[in-house]
Amino acid sequence: MPKPVHQAVSRRTILKGGIAASAALAAPNFFIGKAHASSEKLKVGIIPAYSFGLYWLIQDQGFAPGVDMEFSVFPSGPPAIEAMVGGSVDTITVGSVPPLAAMYRKVADFREISICGDASGLFQIVGAPGMKSLADLEGKKIAVTSGSNFDFFLGVALANEGLEDMPLTRVNMEPIDGQSAFIAGAVDATVPLATSRKLIYDALPDASLLVEGSQMPIDKRPSIMDVFMTTQQNLDAKEAAYVEVVRAFHEKAVPMLREENAAVVDRMVEWQSGMGRAGVKPADVEPLLNGYFYFDKAEIKDVYAKGILNNALRVQSEFLVANERIGGMPDLAALVSDQVVKQI
């Protein structure tokens, strides 16, 4: 594995801290965690990313005893949003982009009531052997999915180094195709998928890790937030349940992740196995689970009080508008709601 260009930060700092493209509603897989004597049930649409798995951990560990969560698994954000609008789920875990597009189209009165994690720690920019920094990309070709979170991450990384106007050629490719092109020598760099980038380092042990999101200073990272969201109607109808679940996430699940990391990794293996991924091992889960930035109770309150989520979504929305992924700015003041966070 190549040595990163940036100085590493501590594991504790990392812990303190995806655009999915499906357009058609997919039939979800259903599974139910540990049952509780509960007064409220929440039907949760969940995408099988590890930051979202902490909501399954709440059910598994009995962290919110007044609430029983029933989970439906979706492959990506758009079908999960469609299911929530249709009423088959009450709430969803989702990446940052699908809600922005849906809010711009005024599909429903969506509310982002908490943050699952900041996914920017999972992104990397990998260059050809011999490259030392992003400046070495001048005049070179980089494979990146146009208008995506990968492209957004690249833009932020270049801007952080004052290189936003540096001439280079972005070759529009899906991440898996981009890493294949990079291995073949057709491009000079790529922004790969976290789940498959090991293939790059297996094929090119001397590939250069130019930027890694988990090593960016916290005030410089692009803040690609995965969120917990619902509609205003659902929020008003089940407000007490949402407060308990969000409190459990930030007050119990995140501290458990930090203090009993190996145990949480094992629970995530169990969660993934329950969805038919029997081959998943702790070594596969650990770097992806811990690549996110998470927020404990004090930190999530600070994020909302300081408008950090609003600002992250504004920057990303502006990027999406400029790249013609959405037709205009969504109503972020309405989308981001502190109705729950202020009560935990």
Side-chain angles (χ1 to χ4, degrees), residues 165-222:
D165 296 324
M166 181 179 71
L168 57 82
T169 300
R170 286 173 166 85
V171 181
N172 182 22
M173 292 183 174
E174 291 296 323
I176 194 71
D177 296 327
Q179 72 183 34
S180 297
F182 175 68
I183 291 170
V187 295
D188 304 291
T190 188
V191 188
L193 278 171
T195 51
S196 59
R197 65 191 177 210
K198 183 176 181 294
L199 297 173
I200 292 177
Y201 299 120
D202 288 343
L204 297 173
D206 296 329
S208 298
L209 178 53
L210 301 178
V211 177
E212 186 164 26
S214 64
Q215 296 174 356
M216 285 181 167
I218 288 181
D219 61 341
K220 297 293 187 181
R221 66 178 188 249

Side-chain angles (χ1 to χ4, degrees), residues 18-25 47 75-79 97-98 145-146 148 150 174-175 325:
I19 298 178
S22 175
L25 178 61
I47 297 168
S76 63
V97 170
T145 309
S146 179
S148 70
F150 300 89
E174 291 296 323
R325 294 298 298 271

Side-chain angles (χ1 to χ4, degrees), residues 54-239:
L54 292 189
Y55 277 99
W56 177 87
L57 184 72
I58 292 169
Q59 181 81 359
D60 177 68
Q61 297 293 303
F63 284 159
V67 183
D68 197 31
M69 288 188 284
E70 179 181 285
F71 295 92
S72 310
V73 180
F74 292 89
S76 63
I81 289 175
E82 188 174 343
M84 184 169 62
V85 172
S88 60
V89 297
D90 301 316
T91 186
I92 62 173
T93 62
V94 66
S96 55
V97 170
L100 296 175
M103 193 67 175
Y104 166 71
R105 297 195 308 270
K106 299 181 180 179
V107 173
D109 292 328
F110 296 122
R111 302 292 181 262
E112 295 186 0
I113 59 175
S114 190
I115 298 171
C116 305
D118 181 347
S120 58
L122 295 174
F123 288 79
Q124 293 183 352
I125 300 172
V126 184
M131 287 187 175
K132 302 296 184 184
S133 71
L134 286 177
D136 292 334
L137 290 175
E138 184 173 1
K140 301 294 196 300
K141 296 179 180 179
I142 181 166
V144 63
T145 309
S146 179
S148 70
N149 279 348
F150 300 89
D151 198 5
F152 177 61
F153 179 82
L154 172 63
V156 171
L158 290 170
N160 284 346
E161 300 292 331
L163 301 173
E164 58 266 42
D165 296 324
M166 181 179 71
L168 57 82
T169 300
R170 286 173 166 85
V171 181
N172 182 22
M173 292 183 174
E174 291 296 323
I176 194 71
D177 296 327
Q179 72 183 34
S180 297
F182 175 68
I183 291 170
V187 295
D188 304 291
T190 188
V191 188
L193 278 171
T195 51
S196 59
R197 65 191 177 210
K198 183 176 181 294
L199 297 173
I200 292 177
Y201 299 120
D202 288 343
L204 297 173
D206 296 329
S208 298
L209 178 53
L210 301 178
V211 177
E212 186 164 26
S214 64
Q215 296 174 356
M216 285 181 167
I218 288 181
D219 61 341
K220 297 293 187 181
R221 66 178 188 249
S223 296
I224 301 169
M225 303 292 192
D226 288 343
V227 299
F228 188 51
M229 69 177 291
T230 184
T231 63
Q232 187 64 55
Q233 291 79 5
N234 271 320
L235 178 54
D236 290 338
K238 299 185 177 183
E239 182 177 33

Side-chain angles (χ1 to χ4, degrees), residues 218-336:
I218 288 181
D219 61 341
K220 297 293 187 181
R221 66 178 188 249
S223 296
I224 301 169
M225 303 292 192
D226 288 343
V227 299
F228 188 51
M229 69 177 291
T230 184
T231 63
Q232 187 64 55
Q233 291 79 5
N234 271 320
L235 178 54
D236 290 338
K238 299 185 177 183
E239 182 177 33
Y242 283 111
V243 171
E244 288 308 308
V245 168
V246 170
R247 177 186 288 119
F249 185 97
H250 299 287
E251 195 173 74
K252 297 180 181 179
V254 170
M256 182 179 177
L257 176 72
R258 295 178 181 177
E259 297 162 12
E260 303 175 52
N261 194 254
V264 174
V265 168
D266 287 342
R267 297 316 299 149
M268 292 298 99
V269 171
E270 178 70 20
W271 175 52
Q272 293 288 292
S273 298
M275 293 184 291
R277 299 183 177 184
V280 174
K281 297 178 174 60
D284 303 317
V285 172
E286 191 275 338
L288 298 180
L289 175 67
N290 292 333
Y292 289 86
F293 297 96
Y294 300 94
F295 304 94
D296 63 20
K297 179 179 174 179
E299 291 161 350
I300 193 65
K301 283 181 166 289
D302 202 42
V303 164
Y304 272 76
K306 293 182 177 179
I308 293 172
L309 176 57
N310 301 64
N311 186 62
L313 295 177
R314 177 188 58 77
V315 171
Q316 196 163 36
S317 296
E318 290 171 348
F319 175 84
L320 293 169
V321 171
N323 285 273
E324 299 181 345
R325 294 298 298 271
I326 59 177
M329 290 292 290
D331 185 354
L332 299 180
L335 179 61
V336 178

